[in-house]
Structure formats: C-alpha cells, structure tokens
Amino acid sequence: MIQDFLFQAFAASAILGAVIMVTRRNPVSAVIFLVGVFFATSGMFLMLDAHYIAAINVILYGGAIMVLFLFVLMLLNLGHADWRDLRGPVGGLVGGSISIAFLGVLTRLFVGGADARPVVEIAGGALREAAAEQGVVGVVARPLFQEYVIVLEVTGVLLLVAIVGTILLARGERT
Amino acid sequence: MSEAGLAGALGVNGLIALFVSAILFSIGVIGVLLRRNAIIVFMCVELMLNAANLSLVAFSRMHGIEGQIFVFFVMAVAAAEAAVGLAIIIAIFRHYEVVDLDRFRLLKW
Amino acid sequence: MSLGAVTGSGSLVATALGGQEGAGAGFQPVLPWLILALPLLGAAVNGAGAFLWRDDKRIPTIVGPAALLGSFAVVLLNFIAMSGAEPHGAAVVGLWNWIVSGDLRIGVDLQFDPLSMLMCMIVTGVGSLIHVYSVGYMRDDPGYSRYFSYLNLFVFFMLVLVLGASFPLMFVGWEGVGLCSYLLIGFWYENREYANAGKKAFIMNRIGDAGFLVAMFLIFTAFGTLDFIPVFEAAEGTLAYGGALVTGITLLLFLGCTGKSAQIPLHTWLPDAMAGPTPVSALIHAATMVTAGVYLIARTSVLFALSPVSQGVVAAVGAGTALFAASIAIRQYDIKKVLAYSTISQLGYMFLAVGVGAFTAGVFHLMTHAFFKALLFLGAGAVIHAVHHAWAHGEDGHGDARHGDPNDMRNHGGLRKYMPRTFVFMWVATLAIAGVPPLAGFFSKDEIIWYSGVYGTPILWGVALATAVLTAVYMARLMVMTFHGRNRTFGHGGVAEAGRRLHEVPAVMWAPLALLAVLSVVGGWANIPEALPLLPTVEWLHHWLEPVFAPAIAVKEAHGFAPEYRAPAGGGEALWAGVSAAIAIAAVVGTVRALSPKPVPTEAESEAPTGFARVLHDKWYVDELYDRAIVRPSLALWRACWRIVDAGLIDGAVNGAGRAARLLGWAGGQLQTGRVTTYLVAFMLGALLVLGVLS
C-alpha cells in the first residue's frame, strides 16, 4: 500500500516537474527540474521492478547527461532568463494542439496495444522472482551479453563515433 | 482484453505508468514546439526519451525483460545524442553567438 | 560483296521471275554493283573532303570525274555485252533484301534491260563530261569538294532511279535526285534568292512525288507486288483497258513526271533552278533529273498503253508545255533562262511522243537532247565564265555588281571573236536543237512530229510543228545576241577593253564541249527513219528498245491501234522530214538575218517590253498566278495556324506546363524555410500521422 502511494507520488511529481521544467524561462532552473523529473521516473522504475534501469537512469541521465547540460549552459554563459525563449500565443496554440493530439493518440495506442495478446506470457511477479534468482544486474546483463551481444557491440561503436564527432565539432575551426 | 484486463496484466501501477508516460511525452512535445532556446528544446527531447523509457519498462512487466534491455540501448543512444547535440550547439553558438532556433536558417541552402 | 554472291542472288531472283529468265539468259551483267558503288564512293570521299581537306583541290579533281568515268566504263562494258546477246531481254540482279514483310518482298534489285542501259549510258557518259568540265568551271569556288560530292551523289541517285527494278527503289532514286537538285540549286546558299530557288525546286517536286507515291500504293493494292516485271506481266490481266484504276494510277504517275520533268503545271521550278552553278544546270537538264519523268513513262509504258485517257493527257500536256515554254524562251534575256525554257519545251516534245505512243521517239529525243542540251548549257557556262572573269579580272573583285549580270545576253555580243571554239560548238548545238539535218535533233524531233501526226491528232501535229519553228527562232536569237554583232560586255564603247579581257575558256572546259558537239552531230544517226535510209543504222534504236516497248504496243494493237502512216495533211514521212528541215533552216536563217543588223541595247539601256512581248517576258504570269492563288492563301492559312494553334495552343500548353511546374516548385520551396521549428512541426505532424494510422 505504501508502495502504491509512493508510486503515485512519484508519478504526480514527474508530471509536475515536467510542466514546471517546460515553463521555466531560466535554463538552469529548467535543468534542475528536469533532474527532478528523472529522479521521479527512476522511482517509478523501482516500483515497476526495474531496479537496474532505475539505477542507471539516476546515474546516466540525472547525473552525467544533466551535468553536461549544465556545463554547456555555463560554458556558453546562458544561465539567465530570456524573455524571448517562450513562443507567443500562436506557437502555444500549435504546440498545444499537437501535444494534445499526441496524448490522445498515445493513450489510444496503449489501450489498444493492451488488447493484443502478450508475446511472452509472464506470470505476475515473474520479473521479481527472476531478479531474486539472478540478481538485479544479472537479469538484465544475461540477455544483454548473450542474445543482444552484437547490438551491444554496435552500440559501443556508435558511442565511439559520437565521441569522435563531438571532439571534432566542439574543437572548433582550428585546422 | 478489457481495461480491467490491462490493469490485471500490468497492475494498476503499470497502467498509471503508461498514462504518465503519455503525459510526459506530450509535455515534451509542447516543450519542443514552445521553446526557442535550443538547449531547452534539447532537454525536452530528453524528457520525451525518458517518457518512452517509462512505457517500455511498464510493458516489460507484461512482455518480459526485453523491454528493459531496450531501455538500456535507448539510454546509450541518448547519451551519444546528447554529446553530439551539445557539441553542435556549441559550434553554432561560436558562429552566431546565440542559441535561438528562430535565428537559424541553416537547413536551406 | 563478292561477285559470286551477287550473281548467286541474281539468279535466285531470275528464277522467281519464271518466264523472264529465258529472255535474259544470254546476258549476264558485269560487275553491276560497281556502276552504283563508284559514284557513291566518290560522293563519300568528296563529302569527307569538304570537311577534311577543304583547300586541297587535287583530290576532288581526281576522284569526282574518275568515279563517273569508272562507272561509265562499267556501263559501256555491259552495253557491249548486251548488244552481243540476242535477244537482249531483262536481267535482274538482286543485291540484297530491303523490305521483307509477309508476302511482300522489296529487294535492292537492279534491272538491266535495253532501256535502263541506254539511260545509264546517257547518265554516266554525259555526266562524266560535265564532271570534267566542272573541274575548270568551279576551279575558284571555295565549295569545290562539296560541289563534287553533290554532283557524284546526284549521278548515283539518278542511276538508282534508272536501274531500280521496282517502284520503291526507283522512288529512292527519284527522291534522291530531288534532294541533290535542292542541294545543287542552292549550292551558293549564302545568297538568299538562290537558297529559295533550291527550296522551290524541292517543294514543287514534292507535289509530284506525292502523286508517284499514291500511284505506288494503288499499284500495290492492285497487284500485291511492286517489282516492275511481275507488275507489267500481270497488267493486262489485272487492269481493265481504259478502266478507272489504271487511269488513276497513270495520271498520278504523270503528276510525278510533271514535277520531276517540269511540265505544266509544275514547271516553274526549272527556270529558277538556274541559280545553281551552270554545269549543274547541264546535269539537271541533260543527263539527270528532268529526264526521269520521260523514263518513268517509258518504263511503265504498258500501264499507259492501257489507259487512252492518260495517254491523251500526257500528249496534250506535253504539246501544250512545248509550245508554251518555247513562246517564253523567245523573250528572255538571261541566257540560262532561254535554255531552261528550251528544256521545258523539249521535254514537252518527249511527253508528246510517249503520250501518243511513240515511246521509242520519246526516248530517242531524250538521248539526243541530252547531248545538245548539255553542250548548250556548258557552252553558256563557258560564256558566263569568260564574261565573269573579264569583269572580275584586275578589278576589286566586285566586277559583277558594277557591270551587271554575266548571264544577261545584253551584256554579251560579238563573242565569236574572243571564244571561237565555243562559238563553233554552240552553233552545232543550236542547229542540232533547231532540227537542221543531218544533226541529232533533226532525226529525233522529226520523228516526234511525224508520230504526233500519225499516232495523235492534227492539233498535236500542228503544235509540234509550230514549236519547231519557235525553237529555231529562240535558239538563233540566243546565238545572235551572244556571239554576233558588237561586243557590249564593257558597254558599247568598250570593245578594246573586251579584246584585252575576254578569253577562250581552258581546254578542260572546251574539250568536253568538243566531244558533246561530235555527239550532237552523230547522235541522231542511231535511229535513221526507214523513209530516209541514208545510213545502215536504220531504226537501230527502235530495234534496241523493242523488247521494252513491245508489250505496250501489243496492248495498244489489241485495242484497235492500227495507224495509217500518212501525215494529217497528206504525204509520207520523207516528204514531211524535208518540210520540217526546210522550216528549221528557214527559221534559223530568217532570225539571224532579221536580228543581226539591229543593235542590241545593253542591260542598262533597254526598256521594259510592252504588250504581248511583256506577257512572254514575264512568263505568262504563271509564277504570279501561283503566288496569288496558292502561295499567299496557304501562307495566310499557315500563319493563322502558327498564331493560333502553334503559338496559342501548343506553346500555351508547353509554357503552361512549365509555369505549373514552377508554381509547384515555388510552393514546395515555400515549405522549406530552413528554420528548425518548421521542420519540427512537420516532423511532429508526420509522427502523429504514423501513430494515428497504427493505432
């Protein structure tokens, strides 16, 4: 019961944080609220028996990536509010309508998707049992290094390319 | 399978997670379209990715561990994307001294 | 291609022709393909030369005439071979298949029979002399190599026309000579008037060619084949005597003839064709092109024999053209125009002959006319050449503009002193064409006059006689104005200057004239009439051509053709030959006597003629009539078509399509703002669409 309460609290704070994040004019406070959203979703991951994901979500997103954002803001000296940042009524109308359309479509999609039969029938609490058996890391790591090892390696190459590209781009025009 | 059936397969929390995911995604969309600051637009994209991750995790309770594996890859790609994207923003800023999206007309020759 | 293959396929065709094989068995053509290949090769080499060695005149000088002389040698060999073989029927040599479709087979087959051999002799023989002459005449022309290329090609197509064993192959040659005449008449294409003359010739010919083409279609529907021999063999059985179909076919064929041979109503191109270099005129008028019409009727004599109406039309048009053109020739001042109308008139004679059924007489006159008309044109060319050089010599090179037209006889006069050889040769030709015995024209023309009375009607006979008088008159006038009297080249007082500057043409030019003069004398002896057995060659040409025309005569005789050999006014052939000779001599002498004492005004001094003379000088206003009745209305119509249909509809559609594409492109371009936001919105909408379709 306390878990359900916590879950719903996390959900509410995630939505709330997201709304605040989108409406902040100051980029630094937007970053801070986004970190908050990430923490909240991490909490939800925990409640959904995805312990490992919850952990790397905090470390990778909430930690590394958002620090990167803050660092860039600092580097470019953009850490102050800019009144031009938010669009006017027309932009709001367009953005809002598209956003609401997305909400409708996604809701329909999720509900409709629930109609389909599960590809793999898993009994309730199966993930939790597997995690108890193999450990929270092992339950993710085993398929990752067995079935998806090639994908993993390719992702590694992608990251390498991203690193090279980033260095090249950020280095500037020096030859 | 009815609404109750979906709740049965995912649990009530799973269902809530799906809705939260949809809402977060929509907020991300509105943020992308509403903000001019490229960095904040970028952050909204990250938010949308996170919303997608949430739904994947929720579905993994129904379909198995693959959902979480997928989230893992999404995070890896998002990390790469964040690095490259921010590098591009830095490069553009060096040139124009602003990060206002409306000031760039770079996608047309 | 090896000779073995040629004769092999030739025998194949001969077998297919069945009964004809026996007739041609005694004669096998020698190297038949070489006759055509040599001029074509010459045209190719000279054509390449026009681009590759423009300034080197040695190669065309050798290749041009040599190609023709080689071809003439082969023709001569075949002619001798055919003379030796008795009977000399038709031999068809198949070179290769051209069109094979279903039952239709049109081959590139060459027909060797007495008629085509005779024509080949004329074409290559006279053609060779003209080629040699051209070496001198065109010596200074920058388009020397191009000129010889066209000239060789002209002869090639004429040989295709003559040797083709089927209507389509003949049509290839027919169109080919049309093309070459266009190229050569417009040879000096920088001059707009000359280029227009070329176009006029081409278009007038096109009208006639349409007739030929339709006739060909009709023949194919009637016979199912287009080869000469099967068609002519089946003609009597397939087509009813005097029927509508055969009349239609022959009249359409004759329409083609009027175009190619410049008969009324399509004669107007020939005088304008004088725009080309003078040897070209000689080639067109004597050896090639205009004789094609007469040849066509001679070749299809069986078909014409089946249609009395068509024969009547041919004879009437021929006689009318003869008189009409001769009347115009009397009042022309341009030496080449006189000769041009003379040609039209003489061609009228030929059509008169083949129209009344005297096919041999028509072909005979074709041959003798080729000799003396070539001589006349080349002689006129020599005169023009001399006057042109006299004017241009030592001056600033624009002598013509200062002095006038070297073609105008009012600028000649007294040339006998400066050009004695040309003077003699021209008189020979004049007497020949006027019909003074014993020169060539006397025998051939007298035969036509005689048969037009015997086979035809008194009116035709009268017209033929009247034309003979006019012929003598205009030719004598030409001679008097050009060679007699005082020289007017440098004005009335410029005789001394003329003596310094006017010279006889070089040997390369007068030597062909001499040969042609000999031919103009002896050419007529090939067919001495039975009534005047002066030489052993009595009716030689008649016998030679008998295998070709016998079927036609047989058809005519089967339908009540039994002429009484008496002139309409009574008397026999010998008497009337004497009469026509006397008329010719009297007309020549009378004209020379009448015109010689009169001083001729120079071009600048002469006044515009009045009265009937003006009508003749202005060529009966036929060109003006065509201009008003056909050219201008058509021009107005086509201009309307251009403005409304072409510029309005078609251009509108094309431009509209372009404008629409540009508008669409502009609209698409407007979507491409280059701003990230625009693409983001589009991207979101796209994602929505995909998700919406999925859900």
Side-chain angles (χ1 to χ4, degrees):
Chain A
M1 194 47 70
I2 180 83
Q3 285 201 346
D4 286 351
F5 171 74
L6 268 177
F7 185 83
Q8 281 148 25
F10 279 138
S13 52
I15 292 166
L16 193 70
V19 170
I20 296 169
M21 180 275 251
V22 167
T23 49
R24 283 309 88 184
R25 285 176 200 275
N26 190 323
V28 178
S29 38
V31 172
I32 300 302
F33 278 99
L34 188 58
V35 172
V37 173
F38 286 150
F39 274 106
T41 47
S42 289
M44 291 171 81
F45 289 160
L46 265 181
M47 303 293 142
L48 291 168
D49 303 330
H51 303 98
Y52 176 69
I53 298 297
I56 61 167
N57 198 43
V58 170
I59 296 166
L60 200 75
Y61 263 117
I65 294 180
M66 294 329 286
V67 166
L68 194 60
F69 271 88
L70 270 180
F71 187 74
V72 169
L73 282 173
M74 222 175 70
L75 181 75
L76 304 183
N77 198 19
L78 292 169
H80 45 81
D82 184 358
W83 63 272
R84 288 191 70 253
D85 196 357
L86 278 168
R87 284 177 203 280
V90 178
L93 205 65
V94 172
S97 46
I98 291 178
S99 169
I100 287 166
F102 258 107
L103 190 58
V105 165
L106 285 176
T107 311
R108 245 192 88 199
L109 202 62
F110 287 153
V111 175
D115 274 344
R117 289 220 146 263
V119 182
V120 189
E121 283 289 355
I122 294 177
L127 277 178
R128 203 178 303 166
E129 283 165 23
E133 205 177 289
Q134 303 173 13
V136 287
V137 177
V139 77
V140 176
R142 221 172 271 277
L144 202 58
F145 285 98
Q146 285 171 355
E147 287 168 73
Y148 301 103
V149 68
I150 292 173
V151 186
L152 186 75
E153 293 301 326
V154 172
T155 311
V157 174
L158 177 76
L159 284 170
L160 180 67
V161 172
I163 290 165
V164 173
T166 306
I167 291 168
L168 203 69
L169 280 166
R171 199 177 54 162
E173 303 256 326
R174 278 165 291 146
T175 47
Chain B
M1 219 184 273
S2 65
E3 195 90 356
L6 186 65
L10 289 171
V12 179
N13 288 350
L15 201 61
I16 292 170
L18 284 185
F19 283 117
V20 171
S21 154
I23 291 164
L24 285 180
F25 189 87
S26 304
I27 293 169
V29 168
I30 212 171
V32 164
L33 295 177
L34 206 61
R35 303 301 291 251
R36 288 199 176 90
N37 189 328
I39 295 174
I40 297 197
V41 167
F42 208 14
M43 280 156 60
C44 291
V45 172
E46 299 294 338
L47 179 63
M48 285 157 77
L49 281 167
N50 212 254
N53 286 349
L54 187 54
S55 67
L56 281 169
V57 168
F59 276 119
S60 82
R61 276 161 66 95
M62 185 173 158
H63 293 294
I65 197 71
E66 279 78 14
Q68 294 186 24
I69 306 285
F70 213 97
V71 170
F72 181 83
F73 287 120
V74 169
M75 282 181 180
V77 173
E81 175 231 357
V84 176
L86 285 170
I88 290 172
I89 287 174
I90 290 170
I92 289 174
F93 185 83
R94 281 215 185 102
H95 198 78
Y96 291 94
E97 302 269 310
V98 282
V99 288
D100 186 340
L101 284 183
D102 286 1
R103 301 283 293 278
F104 310 143
R105 289 177 159 269
L106 297 172
L107 289 176
K108 184 169 74 171
W109 181 248
Chain C
M1 182 183 290
S2 73
L3 184 61
V6 173
T7 48
S9 54
S11 65
L12 188 109
V13 175
T15 315
L17 294 174
Q20 207 63 33
E21 195 187 12
F27 167 64
Q28 277 299 329
V30 190
L31 296 170
W33 53 276
L34 205 58
I35 299 173
L36 291 172
L38 281 172
L40 186 63
L41 190 70
V45 170
N46 287 328
F51 295 99
L52 301 178
W53 49 86
R54 286 187 74 133
D55 300 324
D56 189 353
K57 298 196 168 165
R58 283 169 304 180
I59 292 167
T61 302
I62 295 163
V63 171
L68 256 269
L69 286 166
S71 185
F72 175 67
V74 179
V75 171
L76 196 65
L77 266 176
N78 280 298
F79 191 80
I80 292 165
M82 188 182 270
S83 310
E86 274 299 335
H88 31 259
V92 175
V93 180
L95 293 184
W96 66 85
N97 282 339
W98 179 21
I99 300 169
V100 179
S101 173
D103 295 337
L104 173 72
R105 178 200 170 271
I106 297 170
V108 177
D109 301 340
L110 306 182
Q111 180 162 348
F112 287 83
D113 67 358
L115 179 61
S116 67
M117 281 323 294
L118 183 73
M119 289 297 293
C120 280
M121 287 289 286
I122 298 168
V123 171
T124 54
V126 178
S128 300
L129 294 175
I130 294 169
H131 274 67
V132 172
Y133 176 93
S134 296
V135 170
Y137 191 85
M138 298 299 284
R139 198 179 52 211
D140 301 329
D141 198 278
Y144 191 73
S145 198
R146 182 167 61 96
Y147 172 82
F148 273 106
S149 173
Y150 292 167
L151 222 54
N152 283 345
L153 195 66
F154 205 152
V155 173
F156 165 74
F157 276 122
M158 191 63 197
L159 287 170
V160 170
L161 193 163
V162 168
L163 285 172
S166 60
F167 284 98
L169 194 58
M170 187 183 186
F171 192 66
V172 169
W174 189 269
E175 291 296 312
V177 292
L179 166 72
C180 291
S181 69
Y182 163 75
L183 291 173
L184 282 167
I185 293 166
F187 182 74
W188 288 312
Y189 54 84
E190 295 93 342
N191 184 325
R192 198 183 174 81
E193 213 174 294
Y194 293 176
N196 282 342
K199 276 191 270 182
K200 185 174 178 182
F202 202 62
I203 292 166
M204 294 298 260
N205 269 296
R206 228 32 354 83
I207 300 170
D209 294 346
F212 191 140
L213 210 54
V214 177
M216 211 151 74
F217 298 153
L218 288 176
I219 288 167
F220 183 68
T221 48
F223 294 93
T225 177
L226 285 165
D227 290 335
F228 286 142
I229 291 174
V231 166
F232 299 150
E233 276 179 353
E236 215 180 341
T238 311
L239 301 167
Y241 180 80
L245 184 58
V246 70
T247 304
I249 289 172
T250 46
L251 281 180
L252 284 166
L253 284 176
F254 181 59
L255 179 65
C257 297
T258 58
K260 201 61 67 185
S261 293
Q263 297 296 291
I264 292 174
L266 299 178
H267 67 278
T268 55
W269 68 268
L270 193 59
D272 287 21
M274 295 303 114
T278 310
V280 171
S281 306
L283 196 63
I284 290 177
H285 287 247
T288 62
M289 184 92 177
V290 294
T291 55
V294 182
Y295 171 76
L296 174 60
I297 292 185
R299 176 56 76 203
T300 58
S301 53
V302 179
L303 300 180
F304 276 88
L306 280 168
S307 172
V309 176
S310 300
Q311 284 224 297
V313 170
V314 172
V317 169
T321 307
L323 187 64
F324 169 82
S327 73
I328 296 174
I330 283 184
R331 298 301 304 186
Q332 296 301 308
Y333 286 114
D334 187 323
I335 185 168
K336 287 174 77 178
K337 285 259 160 85
V338 174
L339 294 177
Y341 281 104
S342 161
T343 302
I344 298 174
S345 171
Q346 299 298 312
L347 285 165
Y349 263 131
M350 296 174 212
F351 279 103
L352 171 60
V354 292
V356 297
F359 299 109
T360 305
V363 175
F364 182 32
H365 195 57
L366 189 162
M367 181 182 89
T368 58
H369 176 257
F371 298 149
F372 53 68
K373 189 47 66 70
L375 176 50
L376 282 171
F377 264 112
L378 296 184
V383 169
I384 294 163
H385 188 78
V387 172
H388 177 84
H389 276 260
W391 281 345
H393 179 71
E395 293 189 17
D396 53 3
H398 298 287
D400 286 12
R402 244 185 69 189
H403 291 285
D405 184 359
N407 291 8
D408 198 310
M409 292 191 291
R410 286 168 297 193
N411 295 327
H412 302 160
L415 291 179
R416 64 192 290 188
K417 222 188 313 176
Y418 315 113
M419 310 175 72
R421 293 196 188 90
T422 310
F423 168 70
V424 172
F425 301 144
M426 284 289 273
W427 259 117
V428 170
T430 300
L431 295 179
I433 192 174
V436 173
L439 281 74
F442 165 70
F443 294 101
S444 59
K445 195 195 292 186
D446 179 60
E447 202 170 323
I448 289 173
I449 295 170
W450 170 248
Y451 282 115
S452 68
V454 173
Y455 291 175
T457 61
I459 297 175
L460 294 177
W461 184 66
V463 169
L465 273 175
T467 306
V469 177
L470 288 178
T471 307
V473 170
Y474 67 67
M475 283 315 299
R477 171 174 172 272
L478 183 146
M479 290 308 293
V480 170
M481 285 186 79
T482 307
F483 288 99
H484 294 253
R486 282 168 64 84
N487 182 266
R488 299 176 296 275
T489 306
F490 293 90
H492 286 303
V495 177
E497 194 173 9
R500 281 202 312 277
R501 292 205 185 161
L502 281 167
H503 302 291
E504 180 63 279
V505 289
V508 72
M509 285 170 75
W510 66 255
L513 295 185
L515 267 169
L516 283 168
V518 173
L519 285 171
S520 299
V521 175
V522 304
W525 303 346
N527 202 29
I528 301 288
E530 265 178 287
L532 302 165
L534 305 170
L535 283 169
T537 54
V538 171
E539 301 276 309
W540 177 83
L541 191 70
H542 186 77
H543 291 306
W544 172 258
L545 290 173
E546 202 158 18
V548 181
F549 297 133
I553 302 297
V555 167
K556 281 173 81 78
E557 278 168 354
H559 293 90
F561 174 72
E564 193 185 343
Y565 286 89
R566 266 181 87 252
E573 189 172 359
L575 170 70
W576 282 100
V579 170
S580 76
I583 288 176
I585 293 167
V588 170
V589 172
T591 310
V592 172
R593 282 262 174 98
L595 288 180
S596 285
K598 275 201 278 185
V600 182
T602 62
E603 190 184 350
E605 291 165 5
S606 56
E607 293 158 9
T610 51
F612 189 59
R614 188 170 167 199
V615 176
L616 293 182
H617 179 262
D618 292 343
K619 309 149 197 170
W620 293 93
Y621 300 106
V622 175
D623 272 322
E624 285 77 4
L625 178 74
Y626 286 173
D627 191 47
R628 296 265 158 75
I630 296 166
V631 177
R632 282 190 207 177
S634 341
L635 270 181
L637 181 63
W638 306 141
R639 195 165 287 136
C641 279
W642 160 53
R643 292 244 167 85
I644 297 163
V645 179
D646 198 49
L649 259 91
I650 295 171
D651 285 8
V654 172
N655 290 343
R659 233 171 260 146
R662 196 185 278 181
L663 193 74
L664 276 172
W666 179 81
Q670 290 313 103
L671 288 176
Q672 305 294 321
T673 58
R675 286 162 58 164
V676 182
T677 319
T678 319
Y679 299 96
L680 275 176
V681 172
F683 168 57
M684 292 293 182
L685 287 172
L688 257 181
L689 195 72
V690 172
L691 287 174
V693 169
L694 281 177
S695 66

